[in-house]
Amino acid sequence: MKLLHRIGFFGLSLGLLACGATNAPAPTTPANPTNAAPNLSGEINVFAAASLTGAFTQIGNDFQTTHPGTKINFNFAGSDQLATQMIQGAPADVFASANSQQMQVVVDAGVINDAARQPFARNRLIVIYPQDNPGQIQRLQDLAKPNLKLVLASASVPVGNYALDFLAKASALPEYGTSYSPTVLLNVVSYEANVKAVLSKISLGEADAGIVYSTDAASISDGSIGTLTIPDELNTIATYPIATTQNSANPSLAQAFIDQVLATEGQQILLRYGFITVSDAPASTTNQLLIEGNLTTPLTLTADLLKTYELQQVEFADERFRGLGIGQLLIQIQPKADAKTFTFIGSDGNQSVVPIADLTADPRAIIALDSDGSFTSIVPSATNANQIKKLVKITVE
């Protein structure tokens, strides 16, 4: 759209120069009407994470009112389900995921161009329980009570994976203990396909507690649930990316909808539904690096813990970095025999997959600490992961 405007302006400027040279009067109609911006029309299919149902429905209604003759068809479900549908050929024009992992799945499948995706909102976790609180939940440690009925989303969807991250982080702290996560998981009575299903079960009193996004809890206004905050140092600030698909049947309309989501009006709607807007910094000020997956010893790395290791210094891209050698890290976390890759994930959703063999072969590969306390991966031999800043998670697979 911007390119069309620039071409139109350039053509108009040449016309004015020519008119000035011949002293001819300015034309009363555009010299090249084909350069005018086309009117938006038709319809698009927007595949969006279930947690976006309320906010995106309102944004879509406002968009259709502003642009008569357009129609936005929504498909709300778990991000993993949507990614699978798209890869299998379901017609989609826009994908809005609740995490970067499922967006990467469709990028790898060629459904979406990697350069097209961009973050548009953030979210955080919260514990919910029926208003009469049958489990007598007063603090997070109560989730480990014997016979408590806990409902989580499946680990295949972002909110379920983030809930497991929370339990792992808590287990690394003395006030919870190493048995906290496995004990809580013994209380899980069902893993649901998406976050809306977890919310429904708790609001109907079918379980004692669940973990959902704060936006989902905010959508219940009838007093049927209570909430318990998960502190920022244990929480995950989830970043939501959005992108047009490669084979969109109406790319102009698809991009216009994304522009609306990113515009002030769209961001204000997301804010009202409890999301953190992209202009707001994540609330957590405690930098932690969660290392988990196919390994023997999961680890949550903090700045203080990093300083207890013997650190090495490397020079890369004309800068000097000091950090924990990944070879030494591998000894600490002990990947299992069939583990093959490291996935480095940044707070902005950027991620890179590097074979473990490449890491062990690179003596300068380290996890370094930046001046702001955040983590950075330095892997000089891997062009796709030379430097991932604000590293928040490493998954071993």
Side-chain angles (χ1 to χ4, degrees):
M1 190 73 69
K2 293 179 179 177
L3 178 59
L4 289 174
H5 285 161
R6 286 198 293 268
I7 293 172
F9 180 78
F10 182 66
L12 180 59
S13 299
L14 290 177
L16 290 173
L17 286 172
C19 290
T22 59
N23 295 319
T28 57
T29 58
N32 189 0
T34 59
N35 285 332
N39 292 325
L40 295 172
S41 62
E43 57 185 85
I44 56 172
N45 299 321
V46 176
F47 283 36
S51 52
L52 292 163
T53 302
F56 265 33
T57 298
Q58 184 174 342
I59 292 174
N61 289 338
D62 290 351
F63 184 90
Q64 291 170 132
T65 299
T66 307
H67 301 89
T70 65
K71 184 180 180 183
I72 313 296
N73 304 311
F74 287 108
N75 178 17
F76 295 110
S79 297
D80 65 324
Q81 294 174 306
L82 298 173
T84 299
Q85 292 171 17
M86 294 167 65
I87 292 170
Q88 292 176 347
D93 300 278
V94 173
F95 180 37
S97 174
N99 73 353
S100 60
Q101 182 178 352
Q102 294 305 322
M103 180 64 77
Q104 186 65 45
V105 168
V106 293
V107 167
D108 291 343
V111 176
I112 283 174
N113 187 322
D114 185 44
R117 61 177 170 180
Q118 54 189 315
F120 68 94
R122 298 185 179 94
N123 211 343
R124 57 166 58 87
L125 301 182
I126 195 168
V127 174
I128 60 172
Y129 51 83
Q131 189 55 51
D132 58 356
N133 199 5
Q136 295 299 301
I137 297 171
Q138 305 295 330
R139 56 183 191 151
L140 293 176
Q141 286 87 339
D142 292 335
L143 296 178
K145 283 183 176 180
N147 302 317
L148 185 87
K149 296 178 181 178
L150 178 65
V151 177
L152 298 179
S154 167
S156 64
V157 297
V159 68
N161 194 35
Y162 296 147
L164 297 179
D165 287 351
F166 147 60
L167 296 176
K169 290 176 183 177
S171 291
L173 299 178
E175 57 265 41
Y176 294 89
T178 56
S179 64
Y180 179 72
S181 178
T183 303
V184 171
L185 292 176
L186 287 175
N187 287 334
V188 177
V189 295
S190 71
Y191 289 96
E192 301 299 320
N194 58 61
V195 69
K196 293 300 183 185
V198 177
L199 183 66
S200 175
K201 285 210 166 189
I202 303 305
S203 61
L204 293 174
E206 296 179 5
D208 299 325
I211 297 177
V212 299
Y213 291 121
S214 59
T215 51
D216 298 295
S219 71
I220 301 297
S221 58
D222 61 3
S224 60
I225 65 169
T227 62
L228 182 64
T229 299
I230 297 175
D232 286 343
E233 61 267 22
L234 299 180
N235 219 316
T236 294
I237 306 300
T239 298
Y240 285 50
I242 193 170
T244 57
T245 61
Q246 294 263 49
N247 296 320
S248 171
N250 196 338
S252 295
L253 184 58
Q255 186 58 54
F257 175 78
I258 292 177
D259 291 343
Q260 181 83 358
V261 171
L262 293 167
T264 301
E265 297 83 356
Q267 292 289 293
Q268 287 301 310
I269 291 172
L270 288 163
L271 187 64
R272 288 198 294 273
Y273 276 85
F275 286 94
I276 306 168
T277 61
V278 289
S279 59
D280 294 328
S284 176
T285 57
T286 302
N287 293 303
Q288 294 182 328
L289 174 57
L290 180 66
I291 306 171
E292 62 172 20
N294 192 18
L295 44 82
T296 304
T297 310
L299 177 68
T300 299
L301 198 60
T302 64
D304 289 338
L305 181 58
L306 185 71
K307 294 172 185 176
T308 66
Y309 292 98
E310 182 178 348
L311 304 182
Q312 67 184 71
Q313 187 168 286
V314 302
E315 291 187 5
F316 177 73
D318 298 324
E319 291 186 71
R320 186 170 295 176
F321 298 91
R322 186 174 176 80
L324 174 63
I326 291 183
Q328 187 180 356
L329 175 63
L330 290 169
I331 295 173
Q332 171 70 31
I333 61 178
Q334 299 180 51
K336 295 183 180 178
D338 59 342
K340 293 181 171 29
T341 62
F342 264 40
T343 300
F344 296 93
I345 304 172
S347 62
D348 59 356
N350 286 331
Q351 59 180 272
S352 292
V353 180
V354 182
I356 292 177
D358 291 355
L359 294 172
T360 56
D362 188 347
R364 295 195 297 157
I366 65 171
I367 302 298
L369 197 65
D370 277 353
S371 58
D372 63 356
S374 64
F375 294 96
T376 295
S377 63
I378 306 297
V379 188
S381 62
T383 55
N384 66 327
N386 282 152
Q387 195 171 353
I388 300 292
K389 288 184 171 292
K390 298 194 180 303
L391 196 64
V392 295
K393 187 176 179 181
I394 295 175
T395 301
V396 182
E397 296 176 337

